[in-house]
Amino acid sequence: MSAILLVEDADRIASFVVKGLQAHGYDCNRVSSGEEALKLLPAVEFDLVILDIGLPGMDGFQVLSTMRGQGFDVPVIVLTARDSVDNTVASFEGGADDYMGKPFSFDELLARVKTRIKKLTVATASSDTLRVGSISLDLMGRKVTRGASEYELTTREFGILEFLMTHPGQVISREQLLSRVWSYDHDPQSNVVDVYVRYLRQKLGSDAIQTVRGIGYRLPNTV
C-alpha cells in the first residue's frame, strides 16, 4: 500500500481528499501545517506528498525548499488556490513534481497521484545500482564500493545499507530498520541494529552513517 502525506490546513478539503484516496487503496496521512510535515517526514516512509501552498506559518514554498534541502526526494504534488503562472513556475523551480490549482477535480488529482507513484515504482525497479555520494551499492552483485575500495556485506548489513541509501538524508528509526531488515517483531530494546551499523562503519568509514541521538540513523547525501 502506497503511503501519501497530505499537507492541507482546510479541514473540508483535507477530509475530502483523505477519504477519496483511502477509498482507492492508499494509506493517507494528513497534517495541517508545514512544521508538522517536516517532523513527520523523517519518521515515515512516504511515496508521495500533496502539499498546499497557503499554509499557516511556514508556507508550502518554504516547506518544499526545506524538504529538498534536507535531501527528501519524495515526489510532491502542489495543490493551491494561488493558480498563476508565477506560482506554477515557482513550484517547479522549488522542486515540485506536479501542480494543481483549486478548485480541483478529485478524479484528476487521483490520476496524477497514480502517475507519480507509477513513475516512482518503475524508476526503483529499473535501477540495479544505488549511489549516494561516494558509496555505490550493487543490488545484483550484493557488493558495495566506496571510492576505489570494494566490500562484501552480510545479508543484514546489505539490508540496512540498502534501506538507508534509498532514503538519503532522511533519519531512519531503529524500529523501521528492524521491521524492514529482520521482517518480524523484534524486541525494541535490542541493540542488534546498533551492532550491525557498527559493522558497516568498520567497513565503510566512521562517517558513512550518522547517529541521530534518540531517533535512529541517517546516510548523509554527500558521504
Side-chain angles (χ1 to χ4, degrees):
M1 182 183 293
S2 296
I4 298 173
L5 175 62
L6 173 64
V7 191
E8 170 63 66
D9 64 313
D11 292 337
R12 182 180 62 82
I13 295 175
S15 177
F16 169 68
V17 172
V18 169
K19 289 179 180 178
L21 291 174
Q22 290 177 341
H24 284 82
Y26 295 102
D27 178 15
C28 189
N29 291 266
R30 179 255 177 147
V31 295
S32 57
S33 72
E35 290 83 358
E36 290 177 284
L38 293 174
K39 288 180 181 178
L40 190 58
L41 277 168
V44 180
E45 183 184 356
F46 290 106
D47 298 291
L48 179 71
V49 174
I50 301 174
L51 176 64
D52 182 31
I53 293 299
L55 297 169
M58 177 183 285
D59 70 17
F61 289 129
Q62 292 173 299
V63 175
L64 185 57
S65 175
T66 303
M67 283 176 56
R68 296 312 189 213
Q70 292 179 350
F72 294 105
D73 58 357
V74 58
V76 175
I77 297 176
V78 167
L79 189 65
T80 177
R82 305 180 191 176
D83 192 10
S84 69
V85 173
D86 287 345
N87 280 298
T88 302
V89 172
S91 295
F92 286 123
E93 288 184 343
D97 298 271
D98 207 345
Y99 182 100
M100 286 191 68
K102 298 177 182 178
F104 61 91
S105 160
F106 177 77
D107 288 341
E108 182 181 355
L109 175 63
L110 179 63
R112 291 173 185 250
V113 167
K114 289 179 178 178
T115 297
R116 289 298 155 192
I117 290 180
K118 181 179 179 180
K119 286 183 177 180
L120 178 66
T121 302
V122 170
T124 301
S126 64
S127 176
D128 292 333
T129 304
L130 296 175
R131 293 183 178 86
V132 178
S134 62
I135 297 177
S136 294
L137 189 67
D138 180 352
L139 300 178
M140 301 300 292
R142 312 285 292 183
K143 292 183 179 180
V144 61
T145 59
R146 185 175 188 188
S149 300
E150 182 179 292
Y151 308 91
E152 291 189 7
L153 303 181
T154 66
T155 299
R156 302 300 191 195
E157 291 169 353
F158 189 94
I160 290 174
L161 186 60
E162 180 183 9
F163 194 40
L164 291 172
M165 289 185 70
T166 55
H167 303 81
Q170 297 185 35
V171 181
I172 304 299
S173 70
R174 290 174 175 81
E175 291 75 15
Q176 286 177 285
L177 290 169
L178 280 170
S179 175
R180 177 59 65 92
V181 178
W182 276 261
S183 301
Y184 62 91
D185 290 333
H186 203 283
D187 180 3
Q189 302 302 316
S190 170
N191 70 339
V192 65
V193 171
D194 308 82
V195 170
Y196 277 90
V197 167
R198 186 168 68 248
Y199 293 158
L200 282 169
R201 285 172 172 159
Q202 289 172 352
K203 294 180 178 181
L204 302 178
S206 59
D207 62 331
I209 301 173
Q210 296 175 342
T211 298
V212 181
R213 191 173 299 278
I215 302 178
Y217 297 99
R218 172 172 55 209
L219 187 80
N221 288 303
T222 57
V223 66

